[in-house]
Each structure stands twice: as structure tokens, then as C-alpha cells.
């Protein structure tokens, strides 16, 4: 007859096997399936509601480079800047869904963005703080590449026909416009050796005061509110040629320049982003392939950008124009150590690859940290097979002989229709060719590197942000008096951090829905496995002990 201890020991083994099966096979499959169901975007689902309205606003922090020696810069001195900020805004995102695809695997939407100033998080800084910063709109106007400046001068000459028809100089200007149309060099480059075009620039120089409010330097004294959102006004009651120039600027369609009710124009960094969106996104819903959830499929009905250079072969899209990844509001689930993922940023017209760095804990939630690599803006050029980023639209600036900028800088001219240069904050990792020409920069990888912490199972962002800096070249332009003595320097304007820190409410919700469930399953797994093994071993030992007592001979 089988001893009861053997039966219990066998039952313990069965429980241990069951615990191992549940912990290593059943439970992971259940969780995997549940996560797959929860991340897929379906009309009316909880995920759909979170997709349309982000559960919490993003943090949008702006740091401004206040220029402390603007007068001396006009005489050729090296610029000295002082970072002020952060000016913190809550960025609310709401998606206006247009439609699902027939099979439910795609969803199209337009994203509306709204900014609210967070006075508490910004203190002691306020939007009324006065700053001296780079005059972006005037500098852009003077340095804009051939297509834009040619359009401006063409409109300028056309208006001269009607306003100055009796002036002998008009015939000269007409011939100059024909000469511009036939040449493929920078207008400003041509002017240095072309006395005719130089005359045109003399007319431009004479009207800068009327267009840009009698500027004393290439810097503007304004408020933070105006510089970032409300707008720095110019073209106030212009007359004659100045009015023609202002009309042409208005018609150029720059997103950062808006017309005020009184007819004047105003420049702001982010005013155009505050309100209804225009770009139409099509993203994957995750149906049929949860690993592709929120992956951007199309932007404005196109699978690729038409911003950067393409390969010479007809129809072949360059790596620079490829749209990869999500919009960084969420990421695909089931992340693995050592992997990478992409985000796409419409603000800089490019996809960015993020690489796994380390395991992290965020308020008790485990996850992985990802950050950008050297291929973001450091490794750019033919030697890195991405020379398509070298648009070479800027003349007489600090760049390599092949037209590419030095390491750590990216020309966004074709992206933003303005000669804006992208770097990391405080030119972190940028070539000394740029950093040596500025005083006051304090690059710090911990403060200025782009990173994101992601919950590995669901792809939910826990904290992190995109950190980038916007700059413009300052330089002397032939026959433009206000630039006469300027040093050639890459001048920082602002840097921004756009990201998230999961708040207490969302952390509690996340723990309740996922982390606590995983902990419970883990406890059940190890309790059944260890308990079953423990019972089996204990009963087996007891059985052996009892057997020993039975066979032990009696003591005489």
C-alpha cells in the first residue's frame, strides 16, 4: 500500500509543475494577449479615448538665450549669452479623427495643440520678462536662400514698376531681376561681385528701417510673451518700397509670421502651433500587428517627405525623407533590452532613432531608458551615408568643404523655409568650430540629452522629453549696413524640452491596472512553484525517515 506521504509528495510535484507552467507559459501568454487587446485602437475603446485626448498634458519648457553684449556684437565682438528659464507651458493635445480604414488597421486624424502658461512651474519667471534676443525674422529675411529671396525681390521689382515707373533706376532693376532668374547662386553671393545686384541691395538696405522698426542691431528687445507666442511686431505702417517688401513677406506664407488686425506683421516662435493643426496623419491602429500601433503610415497623404535631398535614381526615396516610428506620445509594446525604436518629429522634418540604454524604475514602475545616438546630428555626411541632410543652402557660413555643416548641427532651411540650424541644447556634442564662437554655453548631457523612459510591456512613456535648440548664423552681408561688422557665428536663440512625467493619478492608475496584477500573478507563480516543491521535498523526507524507523532492528 502506498504511504500517504508519497501521495502528498506527488501532489506537491504536480502543484510545482502547475506553478511553473502558469508562471512561465500561461500567465505571460495571458498578459501578452491582454496587452495586445488593450493597445489596439478601436472605435469606442478605452485606448481610443486615450488616443483622442491624452490623459495628461505634456510639459513644454522653453529656455531663452538672453544676449548680454548686443552692442559689442555689432562691432565684431564674440556673443555672450545667458540662459533664462524655464518658461513652462502645459501642452494639451486633442486629435480630431477623420476616419478609420475599411479593415480598421489605419486611422487618420488632425491634431490640435493648445498651450497654457504654468505660472507656478515657471516661477520666478513670468511671460512679461524682458529679454534681448536674436531678431529671427530680420535675420531670416537677410539670409534666406535663393528661392525665397528671389521671390521677395521679384515682388519688390514688380511693385517698383507701379510705384516708380518714372524713375530711371527702375529699368536697371528690371534688368537685375532678369539676371537673378538666370543664375543659380545665392543672391547675396552674386552681389559681392555684381555691381548691378549690389544696387538692388542698396535699395533693400535703405528700407530696412521702415520694415523692421528702425533696428539698431541684429537683436530685439521684447517680452517673452511676444517672442514665443503673441508676436514681435514689424512692418508697422510701411510706405512705398517698404510696403511692397512687407506684402511680399506676408505672401511668402511663413508659419512663424502672422498678420495683425491693424495690418502689421508679427513674428513668434510658437504662435502658429497654438490652435488647430493642419497636417493629416495616418497611423497604424495595431489591429493585426500590435507591434506597429501608432506607427505613422502617411503624413498629408504621403508615405515620405519631400524635404531633404533624394537619391539620384528616379523614384528612390533617401533615408532622410523616410517617415519612421510614432509621434512620441506612445511607443510599440513588448520592448526588449538592446533594441531601438523610432520617433518622427514634424517640427524638424525627420525621424530620430532611439537606442536602449539601461533599466530604470519610475515611482515603482519598471521600464527601459532610450536616448538618441550619434546618428542624430553628429554623424552626418557622405561618410555616414546620409549626405541627403546636407542641403547646402547657406552661403558664407561655417561649414565643411562638401557643403555639410560640422558635427552637431543640422540645417533646417528646407524644413522650416527659414535658415534655422538645429543643435542639442547648449550645442552639446557640437564641433568646436561653433562652440568656440559663443560665450555662456554650459553643455551638460544629463540636462540636455534627449531621452525617454518607457514601460517595457505596454510601451507607455513614463518620463523624458525631446530636447533641441534652434539657432541662426550671424554674418556680415555685403552692402547691408546693419550687418557690416558682425562676426560669423552660429547664434543660439532658444532651446525647448517637450516631454512628460507621468503624474500621481496616472501612476496609480497604471499600477492598479498592470503592475499590481503582474505582482499578484508573480506571487501566485512562485508560491505554487516553491510551495509545491517544499511540500514534495518535506513529504519525501518524512517518508524516508519513516522507512528508516520500520527497518531499524530492535535494541537488545
Amino acid at each position: 500500500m502506498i504511504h500517504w506521504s508519497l501521495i502528498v509528495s506527488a501532489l506537491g510535484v504536480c502543484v510545482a509543475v502547475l506553478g511553473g507552467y502558469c508562471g512561465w507559459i500561461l500567465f505571460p501568454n495571458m498578459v501578452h494577449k491582454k496587452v495586445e487587446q488593450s493597445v489596439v485602437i478601436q472605435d469606442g475603446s478605452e485606448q481610443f479615448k486615450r488616443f483622442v485626448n491624452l490623459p495628461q498634458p505634456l510639459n513644454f519648457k522653453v529656455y531663452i538665450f538672453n544676449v548680454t553684449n548686443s552692442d559689442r556684437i555689432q562691432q565684431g565682438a564674440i556673443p555672450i549669452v545667458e540662459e533664462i528659464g524655464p518658461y513652462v507651458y502645459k501642452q494639451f493635445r486633442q486629435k480630431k479623427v477623420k476616419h478609420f480604414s475599411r479593415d480598421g488597421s489605419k486611422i487618420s486624424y488632425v491634431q490640435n495643440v493648445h498651450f497654457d502658461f504654468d505660472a507656478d512651474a515657471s516661477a520666478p519667471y513670468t511671460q512679461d520678462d524682458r529679454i534681448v534676443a536674436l531678431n529671427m525674422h530680420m535675420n531670416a529675411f537677410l539670409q534666406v536662400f535663393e528661392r525665397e529671396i528671389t521671390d521677395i525681390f521679384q515682388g519688390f521689382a514688380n511693385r517698383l514698376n507701379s510705384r516708380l515707373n518714372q524713375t530711371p533706376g527702375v529699368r536697371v532693376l528690371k534688368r537685375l531681376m532678369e539676371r537673378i532668374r538666370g543664375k543659380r547662386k545665392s543672391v547675396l553671393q552674386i552681389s559681392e561681385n555684381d555691381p548691378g545686384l549690389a544696387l538692388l541691395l542698396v535699395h533693400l538696405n535703405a528700407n530696412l528701417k521702415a520694415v523692421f522698426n528702425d533696428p539698431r542691431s541684429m537683436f530685439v528687445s521684447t517680452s517673452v510673451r511676444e517672442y514665443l507666442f503673441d508676436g514681435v511686431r514689424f512692418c508697422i505702417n510701411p510706405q512705398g518700397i517698404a510696403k511692397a517688401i512687407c506684402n511680399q513677406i506676408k505672401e511668402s506664407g511663413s508659419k512663424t509670421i502672422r498678420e495683425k488686425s491693424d495690418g502689421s506683421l508679427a513674428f513668434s516662435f510658437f504662435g502658429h502651433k497654438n490652435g488647430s493643426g493642419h497636417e493629416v496623419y495616418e497611423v497604424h491602429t495595431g489591429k493585426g500587428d500590435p507591434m506597429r500601433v501608432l506607427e505613422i503610415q502617411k503624413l498629408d497623404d504621403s508615405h515620405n517627405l519631400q524635404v531633404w535631398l533624394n537619391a539620384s535614381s528616379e523614384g528612390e526615396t533617401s533615408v532622410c525623407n523616410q517617415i519612421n516610428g510614432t509621434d512620441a506620445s506612445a511607443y510599440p509594446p513588448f520592448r526588449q533590452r538592446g533594441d531601438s525604436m523610432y520617433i518622427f518629429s514634424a517640427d524638424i522634418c525627420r525621424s530620430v532613432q532611439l537606442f536602449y540604454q539601461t533599466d530604470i524604475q519610475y515611482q515603482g514602475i519598471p521600464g527601459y531608458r532610450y536616448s538618441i545616438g550619434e546618428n542624430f546630428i553628429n554623424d552626418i555626411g557622405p561618410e555616414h551615408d546620409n549626405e541627403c541632410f546636407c542641403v547646402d543652402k547657406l552661403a558664407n557660413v561655417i561649414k565643411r568643404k562638401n557643403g555639410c555643416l560640422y558635427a552637431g548641427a543640422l540645417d533646417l532651411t528646407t524644413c522650416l523655409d527659414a535658415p534655422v540650424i538645429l543643435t542639442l541644447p547648449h550645442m552639446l556634442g557640437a564641433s568646436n568650430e561653433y562652440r568656440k564662437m559663443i560665450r555662456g554655453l554650459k553643455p551638460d548631457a544629463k540636462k540636455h540629452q534627449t531621452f525617454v523612459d518607457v514601460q517595457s510591456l505596454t510601451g507607455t512613456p513614463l518620463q523624458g522629453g525631446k530636447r533641441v535648440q534652434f539657432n541662426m548664423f550671424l554674418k556680415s552681408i555685403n552692402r547691408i549696413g546693419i550687418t557690416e561688422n558682425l562676426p560669423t557665428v552660429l547664434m543660439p536663440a532658444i532651446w525647448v524640452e517637450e516631454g512628460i512625467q507621468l503624474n500621481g493619478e496616472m501612476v496609480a492608475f497604471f499600477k492598479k491596472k498592470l503592475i499590481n496584477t503582474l505582482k499578484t500573478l508573480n506571487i501566485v507563480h512562485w508560491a505554487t512553484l516553491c510551495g509545491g516543491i517544499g511540500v514534495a521535498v518535506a513529504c519525501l523526507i518524512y517518508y524516508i525517515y519513516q522507512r528508516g524507523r520500520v527497518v531499524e532492528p530492535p535494541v537488545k
Side-chain angles (χ1 to χ4, degrees):
M1 187 173 181
I2 300 176
H3 195 274
W4 65 267
S5 60
L6 289 179
I7 296 175
V8 174
S9 180
L11 290 175
V13 171
C14 291
V15 171
V17 171
L18 179 62
Y21 169 76
C22 290
W24 290 313
I25 299 177
L26 180 62
F27 290 166
N29 287 340
M30 289 172 54
V31 171
H32 194 282
K33 188 172 183 179
K34 187 65 176 177
V35 170
E36 283 186 347
Q37 293 173 348
S38 66
V39 300
V40 173
I41 301 170
Q42 295 177 317
D43 196 3
S45 67
E46 288 298 318
Q47 176 68 349
F48 176 79
K49 295 175 183 177
R50 289 191 292 269
F51 169 76
V52 172
N53 290 293
L54 289 183
Q56 70 174 80
L58 300 182
N59 297 321
F60 190 79
K61 301 178 182 179
V62 184
Y63 299 80
I64 298 173
F65 289 99
N66 190 55
V67 181
T68 63
N69 65 334
S70 57
D71 291 339
R72 293 187 60 201
I73 297 172
Q74 288 298 127
Q75 303 305 315
I78 291 178
I80 301 174
V81 296
E82 177 187 17
E83 175 190 287
I84 57 173
Y87 296 90
V88 184
Y89 298 82
K90 293 180 179 178
Q91 184 190 102
F92 297 88
R93 292 185 179 184
Q94 183 181 47
K95 297 179 178 69
K96 184 178 180 181
V97 175
K98 298 177 73 69
H99 59 80
F100 282 88
S101 62
R102 289 186 178 182
D103 63 358
S105 66
K106 312 289 191 306
I107 184 172
S108 299
Y109 65 90
V110 173
Q111 182 162 262
N112 299 330
V113 178
H114 177 70
F115 295 88
D116 278 345
F117 182 68
D118 190 335
D120 292 335
S122 301
Y125 302 106
T126 74
Q127 292 191 99
D128 295 321
D129 292 345
R130 300 297 298 183
I131 58 172
V132 177
L134 181 63
N135 191 328
M136 298 290 287
H137 48 291
M138 183 169 71
N139 196 39
F141 175 80
L142 294 177
Q143 296 194 34
V144 73
F145 60 89
E146 182 192 26
R147 177 172 58 83
E148 279 77 5
I149 203 166
T150 298
D151 289 343
I152 291 171
F153 285 167
Q154 284 174 338
F156 170 64
N158 291 339
R159 286 162 177 77
L160 281 176
N161 286 334
S162 59
R163 297 180 181 278
L164 304 173
N165 197 40
Q166 302 302 318
T167 304
V170 170
R171 290 191 296 273
V172 176
L173 291 174
K174 286 182 179 179
R175 289 196 298 271
L176 293 175
M177 294 312 306
E178 294 299 323
R179 190 177 303 173
I180 292 172
R181 296 185 184 103
K183 295 186 177 182
R184 302 304 301 168
K185 296 181 180 179
S186 163
V187 171
L188 303 182
Q189 272 185 311
I190 298 171
S191 70
E192 296 179 0
N193 299 307
D194 190 319
L197 190 54
L199 178 60
L200 185 59
L201 290 180
V202 168
H203 282 272
L204 172 63
N205 187 52
N207 285 275
L208 281 180
K209 291 184 178 181
V211 174
F212 296 106
N213 308 336
D214 194 14
R216 303 295 180 180
S217 73
M218 292 299 294
F219 305 92
V220 59
S221 176
T222 185
S223 70
V224 171
R225 186 193 309 273
E226 291 173 340
Y227 200 56
L228 299 184
F229 284 97
D230 286 2
V232 179
R233 294 175 67 212
F234 65 104
C235 283
I236 301 173
N237 297 321
Q239 301 296 323
I241 298 175
K243 185 173 183 179
I245 294 175
C246 289
N247 287 339
Q248 195 63 39
I249 293 174
K250 179 175 64 177
E251 293 167 8
S252 68
S254 172
K255 294 180 180 179
T256 58
I257 294 177
R258 294 176 294 169
E259 185 176 9
K260 293 286 191 176
S261 58
D262 62 359
S264 65
L265 302 180
F267 161 85
S268 67
F269 264 99
F270 307 114
H272 66 285
K273 292 171 63 69
N274 199 12
S276 300
H278 301 285
E279 297 92 352
V280 179
Y281 288 85
E282 180 182 278
V283 302
H284 205 289
T285 63
K287 184 178 180 180
D289 188 357
M291 291 296 292
R292 298 184 65 188
V293 66
L294 293 178
E295 181 182 284
I296 299 173
Q297 305 296 297
K298 291 182 181 179
L299 178 61
D300 289 335
D301 205 34
S302 177
H303 291 285
N304 302 295
L305 300 175
Q306 297 297 325
V307 172
W308 309 100
L309 304 175
N310 275 322
S312 56
S313 302
E314 185 176 353
E316 185 177 350
T317 300
S318 68
V319 63
C320 305
N321 278 320
Q322 293 175 1
I323 299 176
N324 298 312
T326 72
D327 68 350
S329 61
Y331 302 90
F334 313 123
R335 310 311 312 165
Q336 300 291 327
R337 291 182 182 89
D339 67 359
S340 65
M341 56 189 184
Y342 281 91
I343 59 174
F344 174 77
S345 175
D347 292 332
I348 61 173
C349 303
R350 65 164 294 184
S351 302
V352 180
Q353 191 174 15
L354 302 174
F355 298 89
Y356 168 84
Q357 298 298 319
T358 186
D359 287 23
I360 58 95
Q361 285 276 338
Y362 178 77
Q363 298 188 30
I365 302 175
Y368 298 152
R369 173 161 293 182
Y370 292 81
S371 67
I372 58 174
E374 293 295 315
N375 63 346
F376 178 40
I377 51 177
N378 283 352
D379 294 346
I380 291 179
E383 65 273 27
H384 303 292
D385 296 325
N386 59 3
E387 63 268 31
C388 43
F389 284 125
C390 301
V391 294
D392 196 15
K393 292 292 184 179
L394 304 174
N396 303 321
V397 299
I398 305 170
K399 60 182 178 180
R400 295 190 285 169
K401 292 180 179 180
N402 60 8
C404 297
L405 297 181
Y406 286 99
L410 178 66
D411 184 357
L412 296 182
T413 298
T414 54
C415 170
L416 303 180
D417 291 330
V420 175
I421 307 299
L422 181 78
T423 66
L424 293 181
H426 286 254
M427 299 189 188
L428 175 67
S431 169
N432 195 48
E433 296 288 336
Y434 301 129
R435 290 189 289 110
K436 70 182 181 182
M437 298 300 294
I438 297 288
R439 299 286 184 268
L441 298 179
K442 299 176 182 178
D444 184 336
K446 290 183 178 180
K447 296 179 180 180
H448 304 141
Q449 185 71 279
T450 291
F451 79 96
V452 63
D453 294 340
V454 175
Q455 205 289 317
S456 55
L457 197 59
T458 63
T460 303
L462 304 175
Q463 69 170 342
K466 297 181 291 185
R467 296 165 173 169
V468 293
Q469 179 172 307
F470 298 102
N471 316 263
M472 271 190 183
F473 278 106
L474 272 182
K475 64 175 185 176
S476 174
I477 300 174
N478 195 28
R479 294 179 176 81
I480 301 297
I482 200 170
T483 72
E484 185 177 11
N485 297 312
L486 288 177
T488 300
V489 58
L490 184 58
M491 189 73 200
I494 66 171
W495 74 270
V496 299
E497 177 181 341
E498 182 182 65
I500 190 172
Q501 280 190 316
L502 217 60
N503 59 30
E505 181 181 349
M506 287 303 301
V507 168
F509 172 82
F510 202 82
K511 286 182 175 179
K512 180 181 178 181
K513 288 290 186 179
L514 179 66
I515 303 302
N516 292 344
T517 301
L518 293 176
K519 287 181 177 179
T520 300
L521 295 178
N522 198 45
I523 291 172
V524 171
H525 165 217
W526 288 108
T528 54
L529 179 64
C530 296
I533 292 175
V535 169
V537 171
C539 289
L540 186 60
I541 292 173
Y542 178 78
Y543 173 76
I544 294 172
Y545 172 74
Q546 289 295 330
R547 288 273 298 178
R549 291 186 60 188
V550 171
V551 299
E552 185 178 328
V555 178
K556 294 182 179 181

